[in-house]
Amino acid sequence: MLLRPRLDDHRVIGKYTGKIIIGVGLLMVIPLVTSIIFGEWDTVLDFVISIALCMIFGFGTQILCRTDRDLNWSHGLVVASGSWVVATILGAMPHWLSGHEGSYLDAMFDVMSGYTTTGLYLLQDLDHIAHGLNMWRHLLTYAGGQGIVVIALTFLFKGTAGAYKLYVGEGKDERLLPNVVHTARAIWLVSLTWLVIGTALLAITGMALGQEPVRALLHGLWVFMGAWSTGGFAPQSYNTLWYHSLSYEVVSIVIFIAGSFNFALHWAVWTGKRKEILKNVETVSFAITLSLTVLIATFALAKAGVYPDAMSLFRKAFYQLASGHTTTGFSTIYARAFVTQWGPIGLVATTIAMAIGASACSTGGGIKGIRMGVMFKAFIQDIRKAVSPERAIVSAKFHHVRDVFLDDGLVRTTMTITIAYLSLYGLTAIVGTLCGYDFLQSAFEGVSAASNTGLSCGVTSPTMPDVMKALYIAAMWLGRLEFMSVFALGGYFVTMVRGR
């Protein structure tokens, strides 16, 4: 029997959703200050309006939903998924007010893409937008990579038992420290340290390329945010191709590969366990699958004679495949080059890399390396069982910060999430085909959206059908939160209607 949520349940969900939206409003202060510094007064007004709306919603729900009750599991999942929807609706306001979006749906598309660290966008005339709006775009990816719930846990929550439910609801389950609020702060400590180092390296590289110091600093900060969060937003419409610099590419590769790793791995290295990099199942899985997809793409490109020499060939193939596999979405080729130059094999290799994605509990999306490792270990275990004596006890384990033994529950959960991703990939490909696009290109673009990657072969544009825009928004949301909390939100609405 389905139980209808009580008024107190609505209050708990409203209270904590409001806290998260207050965090979104506070985040807008950074682009607001940026606009003031550069004298962009129209953009200042855009952010003042947007901040006011976030605060009205956030504090309004705090007043209306007063309760001392803590979150349970279902509350945490509903708040995590529902707050992302509200944050997208309100966070889209600066985009829409800027006049660079064709519709509010387009603005919501770009904001969901930012929060989910996808990197696809519909914003028009990117090369001439205000500094404040550009700061907001990249701040979305940086904050979204850590998680907007993690932001709220860091600054707005006390260490309640219910805080962990929110943390898990956002697709994370690693506890770097015993207290989940301390874990959230540890994540930010790692991220902010990388922010200082990465921005400095990119800014110095930009100045060496001839950029003015202020411009080099802004580009360094924004490209770092796009790289570390594996978000893929860049300040220019030509993405990282705009820089035409091997050194810029190398620095960005280091940052986005590091950003794609599990925060637990970062914390292990941070605390002196450096051998974890070589032993962890996710880094091993990533090295193998990246090498295989790069080899496939390189072979196809070499056979087609697309690039004039081996260095150019490897440079282009490795950058796009590493960007796709880490779900970053940075690109040093034109979007249509995936179709006109890379051909079907290159498209398929990149699609596979995006579908697999990065590490669990990182800034990346996709099926994740740990699930690939678990499925491979389970496959080998089944083979060993088949060839072993009937009474033999066959066990398997993998290393992820610690040794973990395989059990049926872990394998079943892994397969459930993997099947969910594959189903979502298939749905986006089929809908794209029904809307008139080539199937392979639809699959590439759909996987890019659902795995939160952001590479594009030219399908994503302001002129694509609204049904595809809405589907991609849903796919980005589902992929980033790894389905369960979104399913919980759907179940919550069902119980409101059909519960007793």
Side-chain angles (χ1 to χ4, degrees), residues 110 118 190 248 274 279 341 358 391 441 477:
D110 283 14
T118 302
V190 172
Y248 220 91
R274 293 178 178 83
K279 295 166 58 180
Q341 296 181 342
R391 294 185 178 181
Q441 295 176 41
W477 179 47

Side-chain angles (χ1 to χ4, degrees), residues 14-68:
K15 173 184 174 180
Y16 286 96
T17 300
K19 282 181 178 288
I20 293 170
I21 300 306
I22 289 170
V24 173
L26 293 174
L27 203 62
M28 289 184 183
V29 172
I30 296 174
L32 171 65
V33 172
T34 303
S35 296
I36 292 172
I37 291 171
F38 288 98
E40 300 164 342
W41 303 115
D42 288 343
T43 307
V44 168
L45 181 58
D46 295 346
F47 279 104
V48 168
I49 294 170
S50 303
I51 291 170
L53 290 173
C54 288
M55 294 305 172
I56 290 169
F57 179 92
F59 285 108
T61 54
Q62 298 285 288
I63 294 169
L64 293 173
C65 302
R66 289 179 180 174
T67 178
D68 294 327

Side-chain angles (χ1 to χ4, degrees), residues 155-458:
F155 302 106
L156 302 174
F157 281 74
K158 296 179 181 179
T160 65
Y164 184 65
K165 282 80 170 180
L166 280 174
Y167 182 69
V168 173
E170 202 171 41
K172 295 180 173 66
D173 59 8
E174 299 285 5
R175 282 202 186 192
L176 310 186
L177 296 168
N179 183 290
V180 71
V181 173
H182 293 163
T183 294
R185 290 171 183 167
I187 288 173
W188 275 103
L189 176 62
V190 172
S191 295
L192 291 172
T193 302
W194 271 92
L195 174 69
V196 173
I197 297 171
T199 300
L201 288 174
L202 288 167
I204 292 168
T205 305
M207 284 187 282
L209 295 174
Q211 288 185 317
E212 296 177 355
V214 174
R215 187 177 180 85
L217 179 61
L218 285 174
H219 276 234
L221 175 63
W222 293 336
V223 171
F224 170 83
M225 288 179 171
W228 172 254
S229 65
T230 65
F233 280 161
Q236 302 292 152
S237 58
Y238 285 151
N239 209 270
T240 45
L241 173 63
W242 187 82
Y243 300 97
H244 291 287
S245 167
L246 177 60
S247 56
Y248 220 91
E249 292 170 25
V250 170
V251 175
S252 66
I253 285 174
V254 171
I255 295 169
F256 66 61
I257 289 179
S260 74
F261 288 156
N262 191 305
F263 281 112
L265 177 60
H266 279 282
W267 193 249
V269 174
W270 187 282
T271 54
K273 301 173 185 176
R274 293 178 178 83
K275 290 184 179 179
E276 184 67 27
I277 295 176
L278 301 177
K279 295 166 58 180
N280 195 284
V281 65
E282 292 194 297
T283 54
V284 173
S285 171
F286 175 78
I288 293 171
T289 51
L290 176 61
S291 298
L292 289 173
T293 51
V294 168
L295 281 173
I296 293 169
T298 301
F299 175 79
L301 292 169
K303 189 174 180 181
V306 174
Y307 298 108
D309 53 68
M311 179 61 184
S312 298
L313 173 61
F314 178 78
R315 179 178 168 184
K316 294 296 185 182
F318 184 82
Y319 194 91
Q320 314 320 310
L321 267 297
S323 177
H325 205 317
T326 58
T327 72
T328 302
F330 278 167
S331 181
T332 57
I333 61 176
Y334 298 107
R336 291 302 295 172
F338 279 114
V339 177
T340 59
Q341 296 181 342
W342 280 48
I345 296 177
L347 270 177
V348 169
T350 311
T351 303
I352 292 171
M354 293 191 296
I356 295 170
S359 300
C361 299
S362 69
T363 62
I367 292 170
K368 308 289 193 310
I370 192 169
R371 296 192 180 101
M372 298 299 294
V374 168
M375 288 188 289
F376 177 77
K377 289 283 186 179
F379 177 70
I380 297 300
Q381 184 184 31
D382 285 346
I383 293 176
R384 288 177 60 201
K385 285 181 179 178
V387 300
S388 297
E390 187 174 342
R391 294 185 178 181
I393 298 175
V394 178
S395 62
K397 64 180 180 179
F398 60 92
H399 185 81
H400 177 59
V401 182
R402 65 186 188 280
D403 288 339
V404 180
F405 283 90
L406 282 184
D407 58 46
D408 290 343
L410 177 60
V411 174
R412 184 170 59 251
T413 301
T414 297
M415 290 302 300
T416 298
I417 298 298
T418 301
I419 291 170
Y421 270 110
L422 293 175
S423 300
L424 185 58
Y425 295 158
L427 175 63
T428 54
I430 290 169
V431 171
T433 305
L434 292 174
C435 288
Y437 295 94
D438 173 78
F439 176 77
L440 199 54
Q441 295 176 41
S442 297
F444 181 98
E445 210 82 3
V447 168
S448 182
S451 66
N452 307 133
T453 301
L455 288 176
S456 176
C457 63

